[in-house]
C-alpha cells in the first residue's frame, strides 16, 4: 500500500559537513603522481591510517574492561573496519519480500565474496534480534560501496533504505530499544534522538500491531538539542510515514514537563479546566536516554577518534550525562522503564553515571537485571570498581584529588560517590546523596589510599557489549525502572544550577560531545546514499544562520506578530516564523477552516469514521495560504493541546504525517479540490476513501510506474482508460487489482494492498510518486511476476515512440 514512501529531504551539505570520520586516508595539499606512486616514506600525499593511541591503551588496561588474556584480541578487532549491518522495517509493507530476497538471493549470490575474504557467510541475521529482522554482513561499508561484485547488493541497500524498507544501522545501536519493552499504547521519549535510527526502531514497535488505516494509541517524542542534527533526525523518521511522532529541539536536561496549572490564565482563556484536557502534564511510559559521550565505542566506524581520544573527554561529559539521566527519570511515570546508554567504554561515563543517579534517587529507581532477555546477545556485566584519570594522574578515591582539581573531578565519578573533605569550609564530609549507605570497602578507602573503592550498588546488572564478542562496536546499557516518585529535591532541581562549568565547556568544545555527530551519520546514510534535492518547505529545518543559543534565522513566511529580524547573509530584513515564544520555528496551528476540510471530505468521499476535524494541523498561521496539511494521531493531538494550554513550552521542529498538499500546477487551481493526497498519508487514509478510485490490472499498473503518464486510450485495459476519463479532474488513487475487487466496491485494504496517488489530467493519467518509490515498486512487482507476457500489450507497441513513452505525454 505504499508504506515507506519517501518524503522531504534535507540538504546534502549538512551530511557532508558531518562526515569527517570515515575509513579513508587523510589527504594533503601536495599533488600525487598516480602513475608512479612513491613509497609511503617518499609520497607526501599518502599517510598510513592511525589506529594507535598509547593513552587509550594505558587507560583501558588500567580500568580492566576486558581480561588481560583477551587484550590482544580486543585491540585487534578494534583496529578492523566495522562490518555493515542493517535492519528490515517490520512495519513495512514488503517486509516478507525483503527477507525472502536476503535469504534466497543475496545469502547465496554473495557467498563467493565471503569465502575470498576468509569468512564462512557473506550476510546472516543477527541471532539475538527478533524475527531475523536485523542482518550482519561481513563487508564494511566501504567494501560494499567500492567492490564491483557487491554493486547489486549496494544498490539494493541504497534503494530500500531511501524508501524506508530498511535502516542501515550499527548492530549494537539496535540493542537499547529492545530492552525498553515498548508497547503500542506507550508514550515514549527519545531524549537525544539524532540521527534517528533508534527513533525509527521505536516507531516500528509502536506501530507493530496496528492494522492498515488504524493508528496506535502511543506516540514518540524525539528530541535533540542540536539544530542541524534535527535535520537528519527528521529525514530519518519521515521514511516511517507516521502520525504518532513529534520532533522537538530542546536541551535534554531541561526538557519541558508541560505541567498544567488548573488556575492558569491561559487555561481560562481557552475555556478549559485541568479536567477538560486528557493530559495535565507530559510524562512518559518509556524513556530512551542515549546520551552524548566520548564515542570511543565507535572506533571501528570512526577511526579518527584514535587521534582525538583522551581521558578528559569522558570526564568533561560526566556531569551533563548525570543531568540528562535525572531529567529523563523525572519525566518517567512510576512503573515506567528507562534505558541509559552510551557508545563509550569509559566507566566514568557509564557505571559512574548509573551509580550516581541511583544514589540521588534513594531507592525510587531500580537497576533491573535483564540477563534473561535476549539470551543470544553476548554481554558483560558492569564494573564495580574503576579509577579516574586526569592530566596524567590516577585517582582511586575522591579524597586523593587535590583541592584545585575538584572543580573538574566530581565525587560522583568514583565508585562510592563519597566526598572526603578535610576542610569543613569546602562542604559536608558526607558526599553520599539521597541517603545511600556505603560498604566497608568504601569506608576503608578513606583511610587507606592504596585500597580501591568498590561500589555497593548492583552495577553488575549493567551491560557492556565488547567488540570482539560478536564482531560489533562497543556499547553500554543500563535498564532502570521507576518504582516510586523521586525525592522532591530531585524532581524539582534546576538543571542549569547543577551543571558544572567544566561540563558545559567540554560538551561545547569536544569534537565528540554529541554521541557521534560525525560517527552516527554513517548509520543513517553515506554521502553516496543521500539525495541532492533540498528540503521541501517546512518538512525539514534548514537554517540560513545559526544563533549562539541554537535557534536559527531562516527565510520563511511572515511572523504572526509582525516582528522583523536582520539576516547576516543579505543585510536585509526578513520576517521570521514564530512558534509561540520560539523564534525561527514554523507555528503549529490546528486547521479549523471547515470550507477546506469539507471540500476534501466531499471530493474523496472520506467516511465519517475517519476523524479529520481536530486532527489536522498546518505550519502556517495564515490558513488561507496553507500548502501542506498534516494529520496527527489522538495521542499527538492531546500533547499539542496541552502544549498550547501551557504557553507552547515545546519547541516543535516536526509533527504529524503529511496528509494533503496543495496542487501547484495550472490544472490544480481549477479543480474542485485543490489538495491532493500525499504519498506518505495515502496508506492511513486509503481505507476510508470512497471516490476518485481506480483499480488497475498488473500490466497497466506497471506501465504507470514505468512511463509516469499514460493517455486514456493507451491503457491495456480499455475499460480502465474510460473510467479514468470519467473521473473528476484532480487527484485520484490507483489500486493494483488482485482480481477480487471492482470499481463499484468499497476499498478493502489489507497488508498486501498496493496503491499509488495519480493526477487525472485533461487527456492522461499521471503518477504523483517519487522516482525512487516508482523504481522500488516496479522491482518488487517484477520479482513477484514475470513481465514477458506484457511486452506485446505495452503502450510502446501502440504508439510510434521508440523510447518506451507514449506520444505527447502529459505531466501532472
Amino acid at each position: 500500500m505504499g508504506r515507506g514512501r519517501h518524503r522531504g529531504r534535507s540538504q546534502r551539505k549538512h551530511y557532508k559537513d558531518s562526515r569527517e570520520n570515515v575509513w579513508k586516508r587523510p589527504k594533503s595539499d601536495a599533488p600525487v603522481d598516480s602513475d608512479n606512486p612513491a613509497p609511503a616514506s617518499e609520497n607526501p600525499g599518502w599517510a598510513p591510517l592511525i589506529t594507535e593511541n598509547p593513552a587509550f591503551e594505558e587507560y583501558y588496561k588500567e580500568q580492566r574492561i576486558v581480561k588481560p588474556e583477551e587484550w590482544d584480541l580486543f585491540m585487534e578487532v578494534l583496529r578492523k573496519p566495522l562490518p555493515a549491518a542493517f535492519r528490515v522495517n517490520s512495519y513495512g509493507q514488503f517486509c516478507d519480500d525483503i527477507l525472502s530476497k536476503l535469504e534466497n538471493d543475496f545469502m547465496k549470490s554473495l557467498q563467493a565474496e565471503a569465502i575470498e575474504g576468509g569468512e564462512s557467510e557473506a550476510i546472516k541475521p543477527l541471532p539475538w534480534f527478533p524475527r531475523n529482522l536485523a542482518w550482519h554482513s561481513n563487508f564494511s561499508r566501504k567494501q560494499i560501496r567500492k567492490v564491483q561484485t557487491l554493486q547489486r547488493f549496494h544498490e539494493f541497500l541504497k534503494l530500500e533504505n531511501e524508501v524506508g524498507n530498511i535502516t542501515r544501522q550499527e548492530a549494537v545501536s539496535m540493542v537499547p530499544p529492545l530492552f525498553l519493552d515498548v508497547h503500542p499504547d506507550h508514550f515514549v521519549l527519545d531524549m537525544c534522538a539524532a540521527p534517528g535510527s533508534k527513533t525509527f526502531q521505536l516507531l516500528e514497535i509502536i506501530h507493530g500491531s496496528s492494522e492498515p488505516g488504524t493508528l496506535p494509541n502511543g506516540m514518540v517524542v524525539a528530541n535533540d538539542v542540536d539544530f542541524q542534527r534535527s535535520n537528519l533526525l527528521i529525514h530519518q523518521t519521515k521514511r516511517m510515514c507516521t502520525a504518532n511522532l513529534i520532533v522537538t529541539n530542546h536541551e535534554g536536561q531541561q526538557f519541558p514537563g508541560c505541567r498544567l496549572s488548573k488556575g492558569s490564565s491561559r487555561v481560562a482563556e481557552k475555556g478549559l479546566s485541568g479536567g477538560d484536557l486528557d493530559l495535565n502534564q507530559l510524562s512518559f511510559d518509556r524513556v530512551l536516554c542515549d546520551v552524548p559521550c566520548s564515542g570511543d565505542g565507535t572506533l571501528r566506524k570512526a577511526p579518527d577518534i584514535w587521534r582525538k581520544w583522551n581521558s578528559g573527554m569522558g570526564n568533561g561529559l560526566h556531569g551533563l550525562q548525570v543531568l540528562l539521566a535525572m531529567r529523563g527519570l523525572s519525566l518517567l511515570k512510576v512503573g515506567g522503564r528507562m534505558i541509559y546508554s552510551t557508545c563509550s567504554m569509559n566507566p566514568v561515563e557509564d557505571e559512574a553515571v548509573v551509580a550516581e543517579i541511583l544514589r540521588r534517587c534513594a531507592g525510587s529507581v531500580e537497576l533491573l537485571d535483564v540477563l534473561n532477555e535476549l539470551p543470544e546477545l553476548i554481554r558483560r556485566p558492569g564494573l564495580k570498581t574503576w579509577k579516574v584519570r586526569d592530566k596524567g594522574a590516577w585517582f582511586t578515591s575522591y579524597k586523593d584529588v587535590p583541592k584545585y582539581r575538584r572543580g573538574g573531578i566530581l565525587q560522583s565519578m568514583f565508585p562510592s560517590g563519597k566526598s572526603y573533605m578535610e576542610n569543613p569550609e569546602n562542604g559536608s564530609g558526607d558526599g553520599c546523596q539521597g541517603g545511600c549507605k556505603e560498604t566497608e570497602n568504601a569506608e576503608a578507602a578513606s583511610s587507606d589510599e592504596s585500597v580501591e573503592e568498590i561500589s555497593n550498588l548492583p552495577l553488575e546488572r549493567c551491560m557492556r557489549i565488547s567488540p570482539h564478542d560478536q564482531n560489533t562496536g562497543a556499547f553500554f546499557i543500563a535498564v532502570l525502572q521507576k518504582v516510586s516518585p523521586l525525592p522532591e529535591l530531585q524532581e524539582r532541581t534546576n538543571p542549569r544550577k547543577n551543571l558544572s562549568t567544566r561540563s558545559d565547556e567540554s560538551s561545547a568544545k569536544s569534537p565528540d560531545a554529541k554521541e557521534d555527530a560525525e560517527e552516527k551519520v554513517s548509520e543513517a546514510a553515506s554521502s553516496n546514499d543521500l539525495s541532492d534535492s533540498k528540503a521541501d518547505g517546512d518538512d525539514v529545518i534548514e537554517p540560513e544562520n545559526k544563533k549562539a543559543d541554537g535557534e536559527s534565522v531562516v527565510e520563511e513566511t511572515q511572523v504572526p506578530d509582525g516582528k522583523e529580524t536582520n539576516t547576516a547573509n543579505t543585510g536585509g530584513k526578513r520576517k521570521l516564523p514564530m512558534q509561540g515564544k520560539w523564534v525561527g520555528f514554523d507555528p503549529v496551528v490546528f486547521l479549523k477552516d471547515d470550507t477546506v476540510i469539507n471540500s476534501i471530505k466531499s471530493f474523496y468521499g472520506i467516511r465519517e469514521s475517519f476523524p479529520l476535524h481536530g486532527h489536522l494541523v498546518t505550519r502556517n498561521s495564515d490558513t488561507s495560504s496553507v500548502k501542506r496539511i498534516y494529520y496527527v494521531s489522538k495521542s499527538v493531538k492531546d500533547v499539542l493541546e496541552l502544549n498550547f494550554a501551557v504557553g507552547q513550552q515545546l519547541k516543535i521542529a516536526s509533527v504529524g504525517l503529511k496528509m494533503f498538499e496543495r496542487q501547484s500546477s495550472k490544472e490544480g487551481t481549477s479543480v474542485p479540490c485543490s489538495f491532493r493526497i500525499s504519498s506518505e498519508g495515502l496508506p492511513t487514509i486509503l481505507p476510508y476513501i470512497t471516490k476518485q478510485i481506480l483499480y488497475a490490472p498488473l500490466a497497466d499498473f506497471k506501465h504507470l510506474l514505468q512511463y509516469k503518464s499514460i493517455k486514456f486510450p493507451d491503457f491495456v485495459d480499455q475499460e480502465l482508460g474510460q473510467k479514468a476519463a470519467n473521473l473528476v479532474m484532480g487527484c485520484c488513487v490507483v489500486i493494483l487489482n488482485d482480481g477480487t475487487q471492482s470499481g463499484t466496491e468499497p476499498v478493502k485494504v489489507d497488508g498486501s494492498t498496493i496503491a499509488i496517488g495519480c493526477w487525472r489530467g485533461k487527456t492522461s493519467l499521471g503518477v504523483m510518486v517519487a522516482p525512487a518509490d516508482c523504481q522500488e515498486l516496479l522491482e518488487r512487482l517484477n520479482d513477484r511476476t514475470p513481465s514477458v507476457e506484457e511486452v506485446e500489450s505495452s503502450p510502446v507497441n501502440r504508439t510510434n515512440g521508440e523510447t518506451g513513452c507514449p506520444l505527447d505525454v502529459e505531466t501532472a
Side-chain angles (χ1 to χ4, degrees), residues 18-34:
S18 298
R19 296 190 71 255
E20 177 184 348
N21 289 337
V22 291
W23 278 91
K24 61 183 181 181
R25 305 191 185 281
K27 299 177 180 178
S28 73
D29 296 330
V32 180
D33 185 356
S34 58

Side-chain angles (χ1 to χ4, degrees), residues 165-180:
N165 287 334
I166 70 169
T167 297
R168 303 175 75 175
Q169 181 181 3
E170 186 180 351
V172 289
S173 175
M174 305 175 193
V175 176
L178 298 180
F179 284 106
L180 204 52

Side-chain angles (χ1 to χ4, degrees), residues 259-264 267-268 270-281 634 638 641-642 645:
R259 293 178 183 268
L260 180 63
S261 173
K262 294 183 180 181
S264 69
V267 174
K270 294 175 69 66
L272 300 169
S273 67
D276 293 329
L277 294 175
D278 289 335
L279 300 174
N280 57 22
Q281 72 178 74
K634 182 183 182 304
D638 292 343
E641 289 178 341
L642 173 65

Side-chain angles (χ1 to χ4, degrees), residues 187 219 246 279 635-643 650:
F187 276 38
M219 63 165 294
I246 299 177
L279 300 174
S635 54
V636 172
K637 172 179 175 286
D638 292 343
V639 171
L640 291 179
E641 289 178 341
L642 173 65
N643 190 43
L650 288 176

Side-chain angles (χ1 to χ4, degrees), residues 292-303:
C293 65
S294 58
D296 55 26
T298 65
L299 277 166
R300 299 185 68 186
K301 70 174 180 180

Side-chain angles (χ1 to χ4, degrees), residues 378-393:
I378 300 176
R379 81 293 295 267
R380 293 162 183 255
L383 304 176
K384 292 180 74 75
T385 181
W386 60 88
K387 301 177 183 179
V388 177
R389 185 172 176 82
D390 181 65
K391 297 181 179 179

Side-chain angles (χ1 to χ4, degrees), residues 153-338:
F153 184 52
H154 182 223
E155 294 300 322
F156 165 81
L157 292 178
K158 282 202 305 182
L159 179 60
E160 301 298 347
N161 180 81
E162 185 175 356
V163 300
N165 287 334
I166 70 169
T167 297
R168 303 175 75 175
Q169 181 181 3
E170 186 180 351
V172 289
S173 175
M174 305 175 193
V175 176
L178 298 180
F179 284 106
L180 204 52
D181 188 30
V182 175
H183 298 174
D185 61 340
H186 280 167
F187 276 38
V188 184
L189 171 63
D190 191 351
M191 294 188 71
C192 310
S197 53
K198 296 183 187 70
T199 306
F200 196 101
Q201 193 174 346
L202 293 170
L203 288 167
E204 287 181 45
I205 301 172
I206 289 285
H207 284 275
S209 59
S210 62
E211 296 296 325
T214 64
L215 297 176
N217 294 324
M219 63 165 294
V220 175
V221 175
N223 177 69
D224 201 88
V225 64
D226 189 275
F227 197 83
Q228 294 284 2
R229 283 167 57 86
S230 295
N231 284 323
L232 185 53
L233 172 58
I234 295 170
H235 170 85
Q236 277 277 66
T237 53
K238 287 291 182 183
R239 303 175 305 133
M240 186 64 192
C241 302
T242 176
N244 297 65
L245 172 69
I246 299 177
V247 177
T248 59
N249 185 216
H250 289 277
E251 290 184 344
Q253 68 271 27
Q254 298 188 72
F255 191 87
C258 297
R259 293 178 183 268
L260 180 63
S261 173
K262 294 183 180 181
S264 69
S265 58
R266 290 190 181 93
V267 174
E269 289 170 5
K270 294 175 69 66
L272 300 169
S273 67
D276 293 329
L277 294 175
D278 289 335
L279 300 174
N280 57 22
Q281 72 178 74
L282 196 55
S283 56
F284 298 90
D285 302 279
R286 299 289 186 267
V287 174
L288 176 58
C289 189
D290 188 42
V291 298
C293 65
S294 58
D296 55 26
T298 65
L299 277 166
R300 299 185 68 186
K301 70 174 180 180
D304 198 46
I305 296 178
W306 283 107
R307 175 177 57 84
K308 299 176 180 178
W309 189 93
N310 64 77
S311 60
M313 294 164 62
N315 294 348
L317 288 165
H318 171 87
L320 174 62
Q321 292 161 343
V322 171
L323 290 180
L324 286 168
M326 289 304 302
R327 185 56 184 158
L329 288 170
S330 69
L331 294 167
L332 186 65
K333 296 177 182 178
V334 173
R337 182 179 283 200
M338 186 181 92

Side-chain angles (χ1 to χ4, degrees), residues 90 102 326 411 469 763:
S90 59
L102 291 170
M326 289 304 302
Q411 63 193 53
D469 285 334
T763 60

